[in-house]
Amino acid sequence: MSATTIRLTMAQALVRYLAALRTEEDDGTLVPLFGGAFAIFGHGNVAGLGEALYQYKEVFPTFRAHNEQAMAHAAIAYAKAHMRRRMLAVTSSIGPGATNLLTAAALAHVNRLPVLLLPGDVFVSRAPDPVLQQLEDGTDGSVSVNDAFKPLSRYFDRIVYPEQLLTALPRAIAALTDPAACGPVTLSLPQDVQTMAYDYPEEFFTPRTVRFRAVPPVEQELEEAALLLKNARQPLIVAGGGVLYGKAGAALQAFAERHGIPVAETQAGKSALPWDHPLQLGAIGVTGSPAANSLAADADVVLAVGTRLQDFTTGSNSLFAQAQLVSLNVNSFDALKRRGLAVQADATLGLQGLSRHLGSWNSAGQWLDRAQQAGHAWRATVAAITGRRDVAGLPYDGEVIGAVQRSSSDSTTRDIVVCAAGTLPAELHKLWRTSTPGGYHMEYGYSCMGYEIAGGLGVKMAKPDAEVIVMVGDGSYLMMNSEIATSVMLDKKLIIVVLDNRGYGCINRLQQACGNASFNNMLPDSAPRIDFALHARSLGALSEHAGSIAELDDAMQRARAAPRTYLICINTDDTRTTEEGGCWWEVAVPEVSTQAGVQAARARYELDRQGQQK
């Protein structure tokens, strides 16, 4: 180890280390691994980490936000838009600032997305205990609210000595960049330790390039998977988020074309294959297209690539229960689901290796013809739904999506749509058209209401040249909208389209489908009509209300030409959805009820469960 040292506080050393890290772009250009940090300061981080961030602000930018959960959502979206190759740090004070990050930590963990969380913590010395906002545990003096991050983090450490960074930081970066274990990392930073100095080895801060590993497949696993596919007559590929994170879009297309296998996409995997490719069947699962779901119901082998096989993808394990499953995934935990034949590997290397073992094998002609016809028919249906302009009464989400897309001639290549929860994920999964990997940015692993606007900000920070369009329901908007002001402050223009159906329309329909009366979901007539356009204007955005699809067409043109964040609100029908497609989703219905509707729903539920894979 070098004898040369540099005396820094723990906080200064942490920021200096992060600022020195580099990663390589596809063209070979070296760029910072971290784009900087979002920070909301309080007594637990302003004097220590705040001073360090100020000292290194020229090489490690700091961004101010308005809500801790929202700034972490923005950081997560930034990493997702970069396909997990670049990321942001997030710091809060102790107490509520820290616990506001917990929802975002869970979101990142579920979605396998990297974010470095740096919550402040109470004094290690305990000299001033209890400090403001400190949680006291009468049975364990070492506990703080930050212990709640432990089950939500891929790696957790509490830095109680400055020299711990020499071990903790490399471990943190390893977890953040691991293709299988990727997820949130929490380094809990006691406020007194942040300010303590240590003589760090100078070489610890030498700039280094972080490499992203591509896990190669095991030949025996490839052989077994190829044998299974060669015996298939009706194979189907289910493309998940791992295709995008593995930058395997080209490999997926080449594999599908060479072996004549149709492709269906999960929520996380949508945009892996261009929307108009002849082998593209569209969305699969509960929010899936009729093309994808009908072929999934008849497939004899399903090759699942980079998907964690969430219930919305599998129809609660009923959609392709009859098929043999080959699961190609970099994560062994996901690859072993549903007792499938596991091929643990990077998506690109796995598909290329599997193609080599398949040789010239191609799926049966009749199956391929059926797939191409079904895909073509579905794309025609999408065009018909999204092409409607003269809508009688209130429009529904599908018609709004059409207006958003036709407002630009290059919307399938330049636009990135951002969404997370409510009715819109189903409609966008079916109807949004994109030819660009990442052009569909849906947080549906955690389906977190309030992610949308903050997530849009993170996407815009990652992709400043794209037109980032946030589509959000009124319910999610009201849960979290403060980062509209941040987007204006940072000059990161968003187009925000608010679909106002006067309540939680998605859950209201689910409630009634389970036999209940509408209850506690929709706003009563006596509730005030919220002026979302006026509210957004108060946060610094430009805005307007569109009274029809025709008015939305014109408003979108103004929004695209606007110099800063622009919000458009339109009233929508809470009862209408795209009828085509979809499949069963297991939502438990009460076994005993006095309501006849619930009793009938329970009978249907028991019948539907018979189709599940056990």
Side-chain angles (χ1 to χ4, degrees):
M1 181 175 286
S2 170
T4 305
T5 60
I6 180 170
R7 190 163 183 81
L8 299 169
T9 68
M10 181 270 275
Q12 292 163 0
L14 187 155
V15 176
R16 182 165 177 165
Y17 180 88
L18 296 180
L21 299 174
R22 297 290 181 268
T23 187
E24 194 171 0
E25 299 273 54
D26 291 339
D27 62 2
T29 304
L30 290 180
V31 295
L33 177 67
F34 282 85
F38 270 107
I40 294 180
F41 293 130
H43 73 93
N45 65 345
V46 66
L49 192 56
E51 187 275 342
L53 288 168
Y54 176 80
Q55 185 175 148
Y56 293 103
K57 64 183 185 296
E58 300 302 325
V59 293
F60 195 81
T62 298
F63 309 104
R64 185 196 179 284
H66 290 85
N67 177 283
E68 289 92 354
Q69 182 185 146
M71 70 181 182
H73 287 334
I76 294 164
Y78 177 92
K80 180 178 172 71
H82 277 299
M83 305 305 177
R84 309 196 303 191
R85 298 314 198 271
R86 297 189 69 194
M87 58 202 70
L88 293 169
V90 175
T91 180
S92 74
S93 184
I94 67 172
T99 53
N100 278 350
L101 298 175
L102 290 171
T103 295
L107 184 150
H109 196 293
V110 167
N111 287 285
R112 281 73 158 154
L113 293 170
V115 61
L116 178 59
L117 304 175
L118 302 171
D121 209 334
V122 297
F123 281 72
V124 164
S125 70
R126 305 186 189 175
D129 283 10
V131 299
L132 178 67
Q133 301 175 321
Q134 180 173 346
L135 175 78
E136 293 184 277
D137 187 323
T139 64
D140 187 343
S142 67
V143 168
S144 81
V145 296
N146 286 359
D147 287 275
F149 285 98
K150 290 181 177 179
L152 303 178
S153 303
R154 293 291 186 173
Y155 177 76
F156 176 94
D157 205 347
R158 179 174 279 111
I159 309 301
V160 297
Y161 291 101
E163 56 265 44
Q164 268 182 261
L165 289 183
L166 297 171
T167 301
L169 280 173
R171 288 178 177 174
I173 300 305
L176 289 165
T177 58
D178 189 286
C182 181
V185 165
T186 302
L187 297 182
S188 181
L189 307 179
Q191 62 170 300
D192 52 345
V193 183
Q194 290 177 39
T195 64
M196 293 178 182
Y198 180 74
D199 295 320
Y200 289 94
E202 195 169 28
E203 65 179 9
F204 185 61
F205 307 105
T206 301
R208 70 180 183 90
T209 302
V210 176
R211 308 292 180 186
F212 289 85
R213 298 184 302 280
V215 178
V218 175
E219 286 298 309
Q220 185 177 357
E221 292 179 353
L222 291 176
E223 292 171 3
E224 293 173 353
L227 181 61
L228 198 59
L229 276 169
K230 284 181 177 179
N231 289 323
R233 296 188 58 80
Q234 298 182 163
L236 174 69
I237 296 171
V238 175
V243 176
L244 295 171
Y245 302 144
K247 297 191 175 183
L252 172 69
Q253 182 170 330
F255 183 91
E257 291 173 350
R258 181 180 183 186
H259 303 294
I261 306 178
V263 177
E265 295 174 327
T266 71
Q267 284 279 12
K270 186 175 171 73
S271 74
L273 194 67
W275 71 275
D276 56 352
H277 191 280
L279 291 173
Q280 173 68 270
L281 296 175
I284 192 170
V286 177
T287 56
S289 75
N293 286 353
S294 64
L295 269 77
D298 292 335
D300 54 5
V301 174
V302 168
L303 173 59
V305 185
T307 170
R308 60 193 189 92
L309 297 172
Q310 182 206 34
D311 62 345
F312 256 61
T313 297
T314 66
S316 299
N317 291 332
S318 68
L319 182 55
F320 41 89
Q322 79 293 336
Q324 292 180 286
L325 179 66
V326 177
S327 193
L328 168 57
N329 204 298
V330 73
N331 191 318
S332 62
F333 180 85
D334 291 322
L336 293 170
K337 288 177 180 174
R338 290 188 62 174
R339 300 186 299 280
L341 176 60
V343 179
Q344 187 181 357
D346 167 78
T348 296
L349 297 181
L351 286 169
Q352 291 173 344
L354 188 55
S355 184
R356 174 168 45 83
H357 279 272
L358 289 173
S360 60
W361 174 85
N362 196 283
S363 72
Q366 187 175 4
W367 175 252
L368 186 58
D369 290 344
R370 175 185 166 186
Q372 291 177 328
Q373 291 169 10
H376 178 76
W378 172 239
R379 287 187 287 277
T381 300
V382 171
I385 292 171
T386 57
R388 296 172 189 153
R389 296 171 185 261
D390 298 324
V391 178
L394 290 176
Y396 93 103
D397 300 44
E399 293 151 351
V400 174
I401 291 168
V404 169
Q405 285 227 277
R406 66 172 168 265
S407 63
S408 172
S409 60
D410 62 350
S411 65
T412 65
T413 56
R414 183 167 181 261
D415 290 355
I416 300 176
V417 68
V418 181
C419 191
T423 301
L424 275 165
E427 300 299 332
L428 287 165
H429 196 200
K430 290 179 181 179
L431 303 176
W432 186 261
R433 292 166 290 182
T434 184
S435 301
T436 304
Y440 180 81
H441 184 110
M442 180 67 66
E443 190 290 292
Y444 210 59
Y446 209 49
S447 188
C448 183
M449 295 179 72
Y451 173 90
E452 294 90 343
I453 294 171
L457 172 62
V459 173
K460 188 67 176 181
M461 292 172 69
K463 302 292 182 182
D465 295 331
E467 192 77 89
V468 178
I469 301 172
V470 176
M471 298 193 70
V472 58
D474 56 305
S476 279
Y477 180 94
L478 288 172
M479 283 197 177
M480 194 176 298
N481 51 60
S482 55
E483 302 324 305
I484 290 177
T486 309
S487 74
V488 175
M489 180 177 65
L490 296 179
D491 194 23
K492 301 299 180 185
K493 178 198 166 187
L494 306 173
I495 296 177
I496 303 169
V497 182
V498 179
L499 289 77
D500 183 3
N501 65 13
R502 296 279 290 169
Y504 303 141
C506 175
I507 295 301
N508 189 59
R509 291 191 303 275
L510 177 61
Q511 184 177 56
Q512 294 176 80
C514 293
N516 281 299
S518 179
F519 174 63
N520 197 46
N521 282 312
M522 305 307 292
L523 293 173
D525 293 338
S526 59
R529 171 65 74 174
I530 297 167
D531 191 333
F532 292 100
L534 183 60
H535 178 266
R537 210 170 302 143
S538 75
L539 295 176
L542 302 170
S543 63
E544 63 178 289
H545 184 277
S548 65
I549 290 295
E551 290 184 17
L552 178 58
D553 283 332
D554 294 337
M556 281 299 302
Q557 296 299 329
R558 290 187 285 274
R560 288 184 183 274
R564 66 178 188 270
T565 292
Y566 200 108
L567 181 142
I568 306 167
C569 178
I570 184 168
N571 296 341
T572 56
D573 190 335
D574 68 287
T575 64
R576 293 173 57 206
T577 60
T578 298
E579 296 179 357
E580 294 86 351
C583 68
W584 179 67
W585 179 41
E586 182 171 11
V587 176
V589 179
E591 190 171 358
V592 176
S593 175
T594 58
Q595 300 182 71
V598 175
Q599 294 169 8
R602 176 69 191 194
R604 293 193 301 271
Y605 170 66
E606 291 178 351
L607 184 64
D608 288 336
R609 290 182 69 195
Q610 295 177 15
Q612 278 183 308
Q613 183 184 41
K614 303 301 181 184

